């Protein structure tokens, strides 16, 4: 088992993600993140000797030809909460 | 007594049709958010796939810059939370970039210098943000376009040297056709880092400089920063490791406000992209993209065609010009004449009309034809210049133009001799003066004959005949 995540590490991670967490959030998130870490640590116990990351199942490179395949940009823009012309508008974050 | 250490981080946008991990169009200047799709907009459940042309162009640059090629180029997620990247991470390379340990050779202060390349990696570009009052406007057309980053070692010592390296690098990528190298439009961008220390003490504390939109600003910002650091050092002050921005209005660098934690990117391998393994077949395709570089081509032009260094320099500055030149010579033009015409007469017209050689009525075939007509004496020098103008104006072959306009030079000796006799008879005073030893009227007599033939007489022959007949 990996060490459970200590609160200071959680705070730094939250800060990197631009999240303002209250003491309450930290407590409940702490538990949830710990569960995720537990899950990863049990995965890490699996024997992967001889398996290189990314090699499994892909002997050849996975490439796509340099061809334009335009999608429906307008449909994606409809999901934006606010538009100014075709620009997506968000609160100023300098 | 101080030493300065300059390194550059150069980003170039690769000239592909589509983005690096999706099929959206890769093009500058389109309407905002027209070239976007679920992959580059960071929708859940999508699968990026590597653009084979983007990776080929990347390896072409790595080979050209003498890098060791990674046998397994790994893509990683660089995590950061800023709205210019809708995914909250940028796909980049970290642990195993595609190229390492290369170099660029330049000439600085009259000496050859080798600037080492630390690494070259392929990543996706971010979108564009416009800050407008209390809101920000986002355009994701650029998000996910292929961006190649070239990181040099801190091997340079002055702003001028960095400027030369950048110019040299720009010429190289334009030769390779991988990037148009337009720093104003941002297809080529450069951050610089510089530290100073007492001689022999090794690197100092590194200061990074951003917001450098031209190679001139790179030079100015670095020289400003070196002076600032030296003064600070001299006063016993402490240089802070920081990022500074070039202020092009005030010609100074200013500290940029950043959070320390912002540099903790928590790279991890991109699970959606397998490592890229360059095989023999791929590397053969890369080799096909390698070209003779400007410096080598210049040396060859001097040796093979007997050109001056200045003429060769002019011809190799743009690959299109050098290709045009060699094509003209291949079609039979004398190397010296073709070089001179391109360097002077053709360039003058192009500059005047604001045209590019690649996109004008003059072709290598037409220039070769013009020069051969000139060399054979079918037209003379002054007419040749007129023909060149006519090629630009009418988009026709020189041979055809000469026929249409009756510009063939008159070189039939008996015809010319008759004209000379007439002129001599009509200008007895001038003839006497020449006989008495005054050579000036000779020019007058040539002029009379040129006038009479509408400029078509071959002046060299007229002069010869005059000298023979006035004795
Ligand atoms: Zn896309």
């Amino acid at each position: 088992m990996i060490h459970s995540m200590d609160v200071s590490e959680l705070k730094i991670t939250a800060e990197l993600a631009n999240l303002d967490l209250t003491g309450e959030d930290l407590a409940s998130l702490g538990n949830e993140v710990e569960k995720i870490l537990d899950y990863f640590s049990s995965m890490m116990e699996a024997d992967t000797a001889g398996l290189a990351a990314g090699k499994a199942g892909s002997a050849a490179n996975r490439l796509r030809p340099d061809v334009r395949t335009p999608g429906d940009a307008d449909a994606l823009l409809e999901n934006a909460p606010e538009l100014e012309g075709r620009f997506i508008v968000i609160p100023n974050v300098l | 007594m101080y030493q300065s250490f300059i390194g550059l981080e150069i980003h170039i946008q690769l000239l592909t049709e589509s983005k690096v991990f999706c099929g959206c169009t890769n093009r500058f200047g389109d309407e905002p958010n027209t070239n976007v799709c679920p992959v580059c907009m960071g929708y859940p459940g999508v699968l990026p796939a590597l653009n084979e042309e983007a990776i080929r162009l990347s390896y072409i640059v790595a080979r050209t810059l003498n890098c060791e090629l990674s046998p397994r180029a790994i893509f990683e997620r660089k995590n950061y939370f800023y709205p210019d990247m809708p995914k909250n991470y940028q796909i980049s390379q970290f642990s195993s970039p595609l190229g390492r340990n290369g170099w660029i050779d330049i000439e600085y202060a009259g000496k050859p210098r080798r600037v080492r390349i630390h690494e070259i990696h392929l990543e996706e570009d971010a979108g564009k943000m416009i800050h407008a009052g209390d809101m920000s406007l986002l355009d994701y057309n650029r998000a996910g376009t292929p961006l190649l980053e070239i990181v040099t070692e801190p091997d340079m010592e002055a702003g001028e040297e960095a400027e030369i390296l950048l110019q040299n690098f720009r010429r190289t990528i334009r030769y390779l056709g991988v990037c148009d190298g337009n720093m104003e439009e941002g297809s080529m961008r450069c951050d610089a880092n510089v530290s100073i220390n007492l001689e022999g003490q090794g690197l100092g504390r590194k200061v990074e400089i951003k917001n450098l939109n031209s190679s001139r600003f790179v030079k100015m910002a670095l020289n400003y920063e070196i002076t600032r650091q030296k003064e600070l050092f001299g006063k016993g002050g402490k240089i802070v490791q920081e990022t500074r921005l070039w202020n092009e209005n005030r010609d100074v660098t200013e500290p940029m406000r950043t959070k320390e934690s912002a540099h903790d990117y928590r790279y991890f391998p991109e699970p959606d992209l397998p490592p890229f393994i360059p095989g023999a077949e791929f590397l053969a395709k890369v080799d096909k993209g390698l070209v003779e570089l400007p410096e080598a081509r210049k040396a060859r032009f001097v040796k093979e065609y007997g050109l001056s260094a200045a003429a060769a320099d002019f011809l190799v500055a743009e690959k299109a010009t050098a290709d045009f030149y060699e094509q003209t010579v291949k079609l039979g033009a004398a190397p010296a004449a073709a070089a001179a015409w391109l360097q002077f007469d053709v360039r003058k017209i192009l500059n005047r009309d604001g045209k590019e050689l690649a996109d004008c009525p003059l072709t290598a075939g037409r220039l070769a034809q013009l020069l051969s007509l000139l060399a054979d004496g079918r037209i003379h020098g002054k007419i040749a210049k007129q023909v060149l103008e006519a090629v630009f104006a009418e988009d026709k072959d020189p041979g055809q133009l000469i026929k249409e306009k009756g510009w063939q030079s008159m070189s039939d000796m008996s015809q010319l001799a008759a004209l000379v006799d007439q002129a001599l008879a009509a200008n007895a005073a001038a003839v006497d003066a020449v006989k008495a030893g005054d050579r000036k009227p000779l020019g007058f007599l040539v002029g009379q004959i040129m006038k009479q033939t509408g400029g078509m007489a071959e002046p060299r022959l007229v002069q010869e005949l005059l000298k023979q007949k006035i004795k």
Side-chain angles (χ1 to χ4, degrees):
Chain A
M1 284 286 162
I2 305 182
H3 308 286
S4 58
M5 197 177 210
D6 68 42
V7 178
S8 63
E9 187 68 18
L10 191 59
K11 277 183 180 162
I12 294 169
T13 309
E15 203 187 313
L16 286 171
N18 291 344
L19 296 174
D20 279 326
L21 297 185
T22 63
E24 228 172 279
D25 293 335
L26 283 172
S28 63
L29 255 180
N31 282 330
E32 285 173 38
V33 171
E34 219 162 290
K35 272 186 212 157
I36 296 171
L37 289 177
D38 283 348
Y39 178 61
F40 273 92
S41 60
S42 51
M43 280 203 292
M44 284 175 78
E45 279 163 19
D47 181 14
T48 58
L51 289 176
K55 250 189 180 170
S58 60
N61 293 317
R62 190 160 54 80
L63 297 173
R64 45 168 280 270
D66 183 23
V67 176
R68 293 173 180 168
T69 50
D72 188 354
D74 292 353
L76 293 177
L77 278 193
E78 278 168 25
N79 293 336
E82 197 186 338
L83 291 174
E84 170 86 40
R86 291 191 63 89
F87 284 106
I88 295 168
V89 179
I90 56 162
N92 194 348
V93 280
L94 255 178
Chain B
M1 66 172 186
Y2 289 115
Q3 247 182 315
S4 42
F5 304 90
I6 294 171
L8 298 178
E9 284 176 20
I10 310 169
H11 286 93
I12 58 172
Q13 285 180 330
L14 298 177
L15 287 170
T16 56
E17 293 291 313
S18 62
K19 292 188 178 182
V20 59
F21 299 120
C22 62
C24 288
T25 298
N26 174 22
R27 189 164 50 210
F28 178 82
D30 281 0
E31 284 286 298
N33 295 311
T34 42
N35 304 321
V36 292
C37 76
V39 176
C40 55
M41 289 285 264
Y43 276 59
V46 296
L47 194 62
L50 180 60
N51 180 335
E52 67 180 352
E53 181 64 0
I55 192 80
R56 189 182 74 93
L57 297 181
S58 303
Y59 273 83
I60 286 174
V61 176
R63 280 286 309 262
T64 299
L65 301 186
N66 312 294
C67 286
E68 294 163 10
L69 305 182
S70 168
R72 264 169 74 81
I74 295 174
F75 289 96
E76 260 122 347
R77 291 188 181 181
K78 178 180 177 177
N79 298 282
Y80 72 91
F81 292 77
Y82 196 65
D84 64 354
M85 257 314 184
K87 295 204 292 276
N88 289 340
Y89 60 83
Q90 176 192 32
I91 301 177
S92 182
Q93 298 193 279
F94 185 63
S95 61
S96 180
L98 60 94
R100 269 188 177 139
N101 301 331
W103 71 84
I104 302 181
D105 285 330
I106 58 168
E107 202 180 292
Y108 167 61
K111 287 194 195 115
R113 302 266 292 186
R114 176 161 290 185
V115 177
R116 292 168 300 156
I117 305 292
H118 178 71
E119 66 163 64
I120 294 183
H121 65 255
L122 176 61
E123 59 190 24
E124 54 181 339
D125 207 345
K128 274 189 189 160
M129 285 178 76
I130 302 168
H131 303 292
D134 57 355
M135 60 182 188
S136 293
L137 304 175
L138 303 175
D139 173 12
Y140 289 123
N141 281 348
R142 204 181 63 184
T145 57
L147 193 66
L148 195 67
E149 180 170 342
I150 295 95
V151 183
T152 80
E153 298 287 356
D155 287 349
M156 290 160 282
E157 57 186 28
E160 286 75 10
E161 190 178 6
E163 186 182 33
I164 289 169
L165 181 109
L166 263 184
Q167 286 166 348
N168 183 305
F169 175 76
R170 178 175 181 272
R171 202 160 71 162
T172 299
I173 54 169
R174 286 173 59 86
Y175 254 66
L176 294 170
V178 301
C179 173
D180 60 17
N182 188 331
M183 285 190 82
E184 280 99 78
E185 283 183 5
S187 68
M188 172 169 153
R189 310 194 280 271
C190 179
D191 296 334
N193 58 73
V194 57
S195 72
I196 66 156
N197 210 343
L198 291 168
E199 192 123 20
Q201 302 276 303
L203 300 174
R205 257 194 212 92
K206 189 162 92 175
V207 171
E208 284 185 73
I209 315 171
K210 291 180 184 283
N211 194 37
L212 302 166
N213 301 324
S214 74
S215 56
R216 198 170 64 91
F217 287 155
V218 171
K219 174 185 72 178
M220 289 166 73
L222 283 167
N223 287 345
Y224 172 86
E225 189 57 25
I226 289 169
T227 307
R228 185 188 73 86
Q229 292 185 20
K230 277 182 185 167
E231 280 173 8
L232 196 61
F233 213 95
K235 282 188 288 194
K238 204 176 155 209
I239 291 152
V240 191
Q241 183 158 341
E242 62 179 344
T243 300
R244 299 174 71 90
L245 294 179
W246 173 245
N247 181 328
E248 63 183 68
N249 298 315
R250 294 183 48 225
D251 289 354
V252 298
T253 64
E254 295 165 339
M256 185 173 115
R257 287 165 299 142
T258 45
K259 279 194 279 182
E260 250 341 279
S261 58
H263 292 292
D264 183 357
Y265 294 121
R266 307 214 168 169
Y267 284 94
F268 65 86
E270 165 60 84
D272 291 340
L273 285 166
F276 177 73
I277 298 164
E281 200 186 327
F282 172 80
L283 291 174
K285 278 194 224 162
V286 169
D287 284 350
K288 267 197 205 136
L290 300 177
V291 300
E292 184 184 26
L293 294 178
E295 286 307 313
R297 202 167 195 185
K298 180 184 157 188
R300 184 167 64 78
F301 276 18
V302 170
K303 203 171 148 219
E304 199 173 314
Y305 302 125
L307 301 180
S308 68
D313 237 344
F314 165 77
L315 291 172
V316 304
E318 291 290 336
K319 184 168 179 288
T321 312
D323 289 346
F324 190 105
Y325 172 72
E326 291 216 271
Q327 186 64 23
T328 309
V329 171
K330 213 187 209 172
L331 291 169
W341 277 74
L342 281 171
Q343 199 179 353
F344 302 109
D345 305 279
V346 175
R347 172 160 64 160
K348 212 167 80 188
I349 296 174
L350 290 173
N351 287 348
R352 184 193 66 203
D353 299 352
K355 282 199 177 119
E356 299 281 341
L357 193 54
D359 185 29
C360 80
L362 186 70
T363 59
R366 283 174 171 175
L367 181 58
Q369 191 182 62
L370 178 64
L371 295 179
S372 114
L373 288 164
L374 182 62
D376 295 348
R378 304 250 317 271
I379 51 172
H380 59 78
K382 209 176 147 216
I383 296 296
K385 290 181 193 207
Q386 255 171 262
V387 174
L388 183 67
E389 288 281 2
V391 169
F392 274 89
E394 301 179 29
D395 195 2
K396 290 177 185 163
D397 286 345
Q400 189 190 350
L401 284 164
I402 289 163
K403 250 185 242 153
E404 279 178 19
K405 298 181 187 285
W407 283 350
Q408 297 95 331
S409 60
M410 198 182 282
S411 54
D412 181 277
M413 283 308 244
S414 59
Q415 212 180 343
L416 285 176
L419 287 167
V420 168
D421 286 340
Q422 273 175 34
L424 294 179
N427 298 284
V431 176
D432 287 342
V434 176
K435 278 183 177 160
D438 183 2
R439 299 191 58 82
K440 253 191 256 161
L442 215 50
F444 165 77
L445 290 168
V446 174
Q448 289 300 304
I449 291 158
M450 293 307 289
K451 207 158 135 193
Q452 216 184 334
T453 59
M456 292 308 121
E458 168 61 68
R460 207 166 26 86
L461 296 178
V462 172
Q463 207 149 18
E464 252 169 57
L465 283 168
L466 279 169
K467 280 185 203 157
Q468 276 171 26
K469 286 180 187 272
I470 310 177
K471 264 186 179 161

